[in-house]
Amino acid sequence: MKKIITIVGARPQIIKAAALSRIIRNEYSNQLQEDILHTGQHYDERMSSIFFEEMNIPAPTYQLHVGSGFHGEQTAKMLQGIEAILLKEKYDGVVVYGDTNSTLAGALAAAKLQIPIFHVEAGLRSYNFAMPEEQNRILTDNLSTILFCPTQTSINNLRFEGWETSGIKKGEISLVGDVMFDNALYYSKIAQQRSTILKELKLQPEKYILFTIHRNLNTDNISRLTNCLNSLLSLAEKTTIVFPIHPRTQHIAEEKLSTIWTKLSQHKNIIIIPPASYFDIIQLEKNASVIVTDSGGVQKEAYFFERPCIILRNETEWIEIVRHHAAILTDDNKEQILKAYETLQNKNIHYAPLFGDGNATQKIVTQIISTLEQKK
Ligand code: UD1
Ligand code: UDP
């Protein structure tokens, strides 16, 4: 029996970890044991425990309660906490997801102790090194034993950087598809049966925009946040908006943009709600006319559920969505956002399969097991 530890901390990682945990427990429990370590990067009930409950993820074996802070401070606390656990327990491998500070801390702690690292959602690039996510993912990729890539673009990015071509020994790359797509397929019906959010908010299908914004690129820059929220006010003149708000965005808007925040909160067409549960957000995504977001995960889910998307950035790691004309990059430009809304509403989009066959998680688990078996 091999033993791995999965490191999570931020909302999207908990959601992705649900897919792997489910397959390990249901199909491979005689070959692989999984412990979960939660760094505590996200800690509000609606940013963390709600997903464990809803998606039936086993409670973390370890909780570091690191909380918020400067990136260096936060990552350092995680690194120290994770290392102590990796020294105490003998794990055969460490699984990390995506590109947050929790991802980097997990990979770095494991690399120093020479424990194999499995990076799920590897190879993504924005080519904007100012993004903390870009720093985290490049560093993590370079430390990883197997890089599980969700898209052909992510494979191409790694080859461009010398994986398999430079002659320098690097981690193995594997095109498996996207675990979030697996999740979307698995939970779509369940969410439809269990979520009552459309009824609660009195929403008609395809008669509202779903809006989310949280990336520090948009929220820490007051002029960009002002532009995005002013665009939201203009969109609200045309249709209803549902805005599940990330705590980061709410703190900044309340503190630094009180005039706009008051307008948003009082607008008759804008429904601001706390961070949604996974089942509720899926229902909101599936029934929106258009999704406006800077979230990586929400962009992809828009594509999975065949909803057009406006991306509040000027680049994206999921560029194939834009190339397939299912999403438009508008940055924080109000004119472009309003124009994109008109364009996308009337567009006939062909949603070609871009994110695998729905079996990414199976492929990942079997490859982890075979790699660890070979290391005997
Ligand atoms: C982090 C990730 C980002 C990811 C996002 C997913 C990094 C560098 N960033 O960004 O890539 O897209 O998670 O949601 O790892 N806060 C709360 N309660 C919480 C969590 C956060 O109030 O439960 C507030 C705090 O004021 C905190 C701020 O949100 O300072 C930012 O949290 P943090 O985890 O540092 O970054 P995110 O913006 O969430
Ligand atoms: N999500 C959620 N509730 C919300 C907003 C997002 O459950 O109110 C989910 C979303 O469906 C996706 C994941 O969180 O599965 C994306 O995470 P987030 O937007 O926080 O970060 P990113 O993907 O940009 O790193």
Side-chain angles (χ1 to χ4, degrees):
M1 173 79 87
K2 296 290 175 184
K3 197 168 153 194
I4 56 167
I5 185 157
T6 292
I7 294 176
V8 297
R11 167 169 71 186
Q13 298 170 326
I14 301 167
I15 291 170
K16 287 165 205 167
L20 222 74
S21 276
R22 190 179 66 245
I23 299 279
I24 294 173
R25 271 177 291 136
N26 292 348
E27 298 178 37
Y28 296 95
S29 60
N30 56 345
Q31 285 167 280
L32 197 61
Q33 186 198 323
E34 181 198 36
D35 283 353
I36 296 178
L37 182 156
H38 193 321
T39 62
Q41 178 169 352
H42 286 175
Y43 42 86
D44 288 349
E45 191 253 336
R46 296 195 73 85
M47 295 296 288
S48 175
S49 57
I50 194 168
F51 303 106
F52 283 88
E53 284 153 27
E54 202 178 41
M55 302 172 89
N56 207 12
I57 309 168
T61 316
Y62 297 101
Q63 232 322 340
L64 298 182
H65 298 291
V66 160
S68 307
F70 288 113
H71 286 211
E73 176 199 11
Q74 188 187 49
T75 313
K77 282 186 190 159
M78 291 176 189
L79 185 59
Q80 196 172 12
I82 296 168
E83 185 178 63
I85 290 156
L86 296 183
L87 283 169
K88 187 172 87 145
E89 297 253 11
K90 292 281 168 256
Y91 289 105
D92 299 298
V94 170
V95 179
V96 292
Y97 290 90
D99 53 20
T100 72
N101 290 345
S102 299
T103 316
L104 176 62
L108 197 48
K112 301 271 180 201
L113 296 170
Q114 296 182 29
I115 303 171
I117 299 160
F118 302 104
H119 186 201
V120 179
E121 215 175 68
L124 276 307
R125 297 290 182 265
S126 64
Y127 296 105
N128 175 359
F129 205 68
M131 287 175 69
E133 292 85 0
E134 185 78 353
Q135 301 163 3
N136 291 339
R137 58 172 89 100
I138 289 178
L139 294 167
T140 302
D141 280 347
N142 276 280
L143 298 170
S144 294
T145 312
I146 302 190
L147 294 87
F148 291 113
C149 297
T151 56
Q152 185 58 46
T153 308
S154 53
I155 293 274
N156 298 347
N157 292 339
L158 292 172
R159 290 200 175 127
F160 176 69
E161 289 172 26
W163 259 265
E164 294 179 334
T165 51
S166 68
I168 298 167
K169 193 169 172 350
K170 289 182 172 242
E172 183 186 336
I173 61 179
S174 177
L175 178 58
V176 287
D178 198 316
V179 294
M180 289 187 70
F181 181 51
D182 296 12
N183 261 345
L185 294 176
Y186 182 82
Y187 287 108
S188 175
K189 254 213 189 111
I190 302 176
Q192 198 163 329
Q193 287 158 358
R194 302 219 195 134
S195 167
T196 54
I197 191 83
L198 298 182
K199 220 165 150 193
E200 278 167 44
L201 302 181
K202 301 190 176 61
L203 294 168
Q204 296 298 322
E206 307 214 13
K207 297 271 188 257
Y208 64 90
I209 289 175
L210 175 66
F211 183 93
T212 82
I213 182 166
H214 75 278
R215 287 296 178 100
N216 73 336
L217 157 100
N218 281 327
T219 53
D220 286 1
N221 181 323
I222 291 306
S223 130
R224 288 186 65 94
L225 186 58
T226 305
N227 293 342
C228 291
L229 297 181
N230 275 331
S231 306
L232 175 60
L233 285 167
S234 298
L235 287 170
E237 297 307 311
K238 298 172 186 289
T239 188
T240 302
I241 315 271
V242 182
F243 181 10
I245 193 162
H246 191 290
R248 170 189 206 109
T249 315
Q250 179 155 3
H251 296 159
I252 297 173
E254 278 176 343
E255 233 174 73
K256 302 201 170 143
L257 292 173
S258 57
T259 312
I260 300 181
W261 177 246
T262 308
K263 277 193 203 162
L264 287 174
S265 319
Q266 292 174 354
H267 199 293
K268 67 175 182 8
N269 278 351
I270 300 178
I271 308 171
I272 301 179
I273 57 171
S277 77
Y278 183 64
F279 293 172
D280 285 349
I281 199 87
I282 286 189
Q283 278 305 94
L284 289 170
E285 287 168 348
K286 277 163 68 178
N287 290 285
S289 62
V290 172
I291 297 176
V292 181
T293 190
D294 64 359
S295 157
V298 175
Q299 266 171 65
K300 275 190 295 177
E301 286 164 350
Y303 193 89
F304 303 158
F305 297 124
E306 306 198 347
R307 299 287 90 205
C309 185
I310 294 173
I311 304 172
L312 302 168
R313 291 177 48 193
N314 67 5
E315 82 260 307
T316 174
E317 300 77 21
W318 309 102
I319 191 64
E320 43 283 277
I321 302 178
V322 177
R323 293 201 182 119
H324 277 74
H325 310 289
I328 298 179
L329 292 164
T330 59
D331 214 1
D332 60 337
N333 184 309
K334 185 160 107 179
E335 255 172 45
Q336 284 187 37
I337 293 168
L338 295 175
K339 194 168 148 220
Y341 176 61
E342 298 305 329
T343 310
L344 286 172
Q345 273 190 99
N346 308 312
K347 210 173 168 114
N348 214 346
I349 300 163
H350 171 58
Y351 291 87
L354 297 173
F355 295 94
D357 59 4
N359 288 309
T361 318
Q362 276 280 356
K363 292 174 194 165
I364 291 170
V365 175
T366 51
Q367 214 173 324
I368 290 177
I369 293 173
S370 64
T371 306
L372 295 180
E373 290 290 325
Q374 281 163 24
K375 285 192 184 285
K376 261 199 265 207

